[in-house]
């Protein structure tokens, strides 16, 4: 009798236990479905940014905002790392992302893109604030897609229009100096391309390069001494040294046309501007397509800024007594 009673009790206990186990998946499913993520997953995204400055910061923020809005709060985690302008540090960061098994890497600027490309050919990589992907990745006959685990957005404003802007603002000047960091391949690309357009406009063009921030002031001094106008492309090292550049150029009375708004805010008189926030936001939308909708990154075309705007730096224009024609917007300082 005791054995029979014990058997009944054990059977009842097992039934209760199985029922409890069977209820667990339903509870988990409910929690996942209310999280806001399309598939209930928390995505891990590594962000490697070359250096801290206004343009790159805006691109990173736009990317994070887009992905967070689309996935929902709590469904994406960012590991955001800044390389402080050092290419070797970019490699250390992206290698760690691979070790950590992130779902996607955002490479903000050319050096992080190159580092990420060397770190993995499996994890999807999106670049932003990269001027020319063919140059950065050494791709011949680039047709808009890389055919690899890489795509992204480009910050290149039309170089022919930038040359035309210089002609519009300084039609009587003769010599244009192009100033950039020799360590940035996309700056070399921009310099080569815009040189042809400037020469077509009738200017004599000379290139001046600095190796890093240590010699930027001396090189800028040389460039100002030999030219009527300077042009600085979308160069990250220059963007982090605008104060040093401005101190020389304003004192020498030489105006600078900049390839992007952040540089213009610090040392330029005018720029053909894109929104780096919008560029980053677009990159975040691309990331969502890859992570949630299974878009093949190798077939995704590199995207460009949807519009460009003529902008000017009122403070520096006033100091140099430069009159800006209609059609330009003042940069908010």
């Amino acid at each position: 009798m005791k054995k029979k009673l014990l058997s009944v009790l054990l059977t009842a206990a097992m039934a209760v236990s199985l029922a409890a186990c069977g209820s667990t998946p339903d509870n988990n499913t409910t929690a996942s479905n209310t999280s806001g993520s399309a598939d209930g997953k928390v995505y891990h995204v590594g962000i490697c940014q070359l250096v801290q400055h206004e343009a790159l910061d805006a691109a990173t923020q736009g990317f994070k905002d887009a992905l967070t809005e689309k996935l929902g709060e709590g469904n994406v985690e960012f590991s955001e790392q800044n390389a402080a302008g050092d290419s070797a540090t970019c490699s250390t960061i992206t290698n760690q992302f691979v070790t950590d098994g992130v779902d996607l890497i955002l490479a903000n600027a050319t050096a992080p893109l190159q580092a990420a490309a060397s770190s993995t050919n499996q994890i999807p990589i999106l670049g932003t604030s990269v001027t020319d992907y063919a140059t950065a990745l050494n791709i011949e006959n680039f047709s808009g897609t890389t055919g690899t685990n890489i795509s992204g957005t480009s910050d290149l404003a039309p170089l022919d229009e930038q040359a035309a802007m210089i002609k519009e603002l300084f039609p009587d000047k003769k010599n244009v100096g192009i100033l950039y960091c020799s360590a940035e391949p996309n700056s070399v690309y921009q310099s080569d391309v815009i040189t042809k357009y400037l020469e077509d406009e009738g200017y004599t063009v000379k290139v001046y390069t600095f190796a890093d921030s240590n010699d930027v002031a001396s090189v800028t001094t040389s460039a100002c001494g030999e030219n009527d106008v300077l042009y600085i492309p979308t160069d990250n090292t220059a963007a982090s040294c605008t104060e040093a550049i401005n101190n020389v150029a304003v004192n020498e009375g030489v105006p600078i046309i900049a390839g992007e708004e952040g540089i213009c805010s610090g040392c330029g008189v005018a720029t053909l501007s894109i929104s780096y926030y919008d560029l980053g936001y677009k990159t975040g939308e691309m990331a969502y397509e890859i992570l949630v909708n299974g878009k093949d990154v190798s077939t995704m075309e590199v995207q460009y800024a949807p519009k460009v705007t003529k902008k000017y730096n009122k403070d520096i224009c006033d100091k140099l007594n430069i009159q800006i024609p209609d059609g330009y917007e003042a940069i908010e300082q």
Side-chain angles (χ1 to χ4, degrees):
M1 182 70 178
K2 291 181 179 179
K3 290 182 179 180
K4 184 175 181 180
L5 179 61
L6 180 61
S7 176
V8 171
L9 290 173
L10 287 172
T11 301
M14 289 177 66
V16 171
S17 176
L18 289 170
C21 292
S23 67
T24 302
D26 292 336
N27 291 338
N28 285 345
T29 300
T30 301
S32 297
N33 287 340
T34 58
S35 68
S37 176
D39 55 7
K41 177 180 178 180
V42 176
Y43 293 93
H44 300 273
V45 176
I47 300 175
C48 180
Q49 181 173 317
L50 177 61
V51 68
Q52 183 177 6
H53 70 70
E54 183 178 347
L56 299 189
D57 292 348
T60 292
Q61 191 60 55
F63 174 83
K64 292 166 61 179
D65 286 351
L67 206 47
T68 301
E69 288 172 15
K70 285 185 167 295
L71 290 173
E73 290 285 348
N75 297 311
V76 57
E77 295 179 353
F78 300 102
S79 175
E80 189 173 348
Q81 304 293 326
N82 191 299
D86 185 67
S87 297
T89 303
C90 291
S91 296
T92 300
I93 292 169
T94 56
N95 284 336
Q96 187 61 53
F97 288 160
V98 175
T99 300
D100 294 342
V102 298
D103 297 301
L104 183 140
I105 296 173
L106 174 72
N108 192 347
T110 300
L113 181 73
Q114 293 170 328
S118 297
S119 296
T120 178
N121 60 6
Q122 299 295 320
I123 297 173
I125 299 167
L126 289 177
T128 192
S129 313
V130 175
T131 303
D132 183 63
Y133 282 73
T135 301
L137 301 173
N138 195 27
I139 301 174
E140 294 184 3
N141 301 317
F142 181 66
S143 60
T145 60
T146 68
T148 68
N149 61 318
I150 300 171
S151 188
T153 56
S154 168
D155 62 357
L156 181 63
L159 291 165
D160 57 341
E161 294 183 30
Q162 294 183 54
M165 172 184 284
I166 294 175
K167 188 66 174 180
E168 177 183 37
L169 295 176
F170 308 106
D172 298 326
K173 302 299 185 183
K174 303 298 182 183
N175 302 304
V176 176
I178 301 179
L179 179 69
Y180 64 88
C181 178
S182 58
E184 299 203 24
N186 279 313
S187 294
V188 178
Y189 166 79
Q190 292 172 82
S191 175
D192 291 344
V193 174
I194 200 170
T195 292
K196 299 173 185 176
Y197 291 127
L198 288 170
E199 289 175 343
D200 289 344
E201 296 284 3
Y203 293 107
T204 298
V205 181
K206 186 174 180 179
V207 172
Y208 300 80
T209 64
F210 50 88
D212 52 39
S213 59
N214 294 319
D215 61 344
V216 66
S218 61
V219 175
T220 303
T221 300
S222 297
C224 287
E226 299 174 356
N227 295 279
D228 306 309
V229 182
L230 297 186
Y231 171 76
I232 301 177
T234 54
D235 184 285
N236 294 297
T237 308
S240 64
C241 299
T242 55
E243 183 177 359
I245 295 170
N246 187 57
N247 288 340
V248 174
V250 168
N251 188 55
E252 294 289 334
V254 177
I256 295 173
I257 300 299
E260 57 94 3
E261 186 173 332
I263 295 175
C264 191
S265 295
C267 64
V269 298
T271 183
L272 194 62
S273 178
I274 68 168
S275 166
Y276 275 82
Y277 179 87
D278 290 348
L279 199 69
Y281 196 95
K282 178 62 179 178
T283 316
E285 292 178 328
M286 295 173 72
Y288 179 82
E289 290 297 318
I290 293 167
L291 294 172
V292 176
N293 295 330
K295 189 80 172 180
D296 182 359
V297 64
S298 70
T299 65
M300 297 178 76
E301 289 193 0
V302 170
Q303 301 294 304
Y304 294 82
K307 66 177 182 177
V308 293
T309 304
K310 290 180 176 180
K311 292 192 174 184
Y312 73 101
N313 184 327
K314 185 179 185 303
D315 180 57
I316 296 179
C317 285
D318 289 346
K319 289 179 180 178
L320 298 179
N321 295 314
I322 295 173
Q323 298 296 317
I324 298 296
D326 293 339
Y328 287 71
E329 295 180 9
I331 295 173
E332 294 183 8
Q333 299 285 357

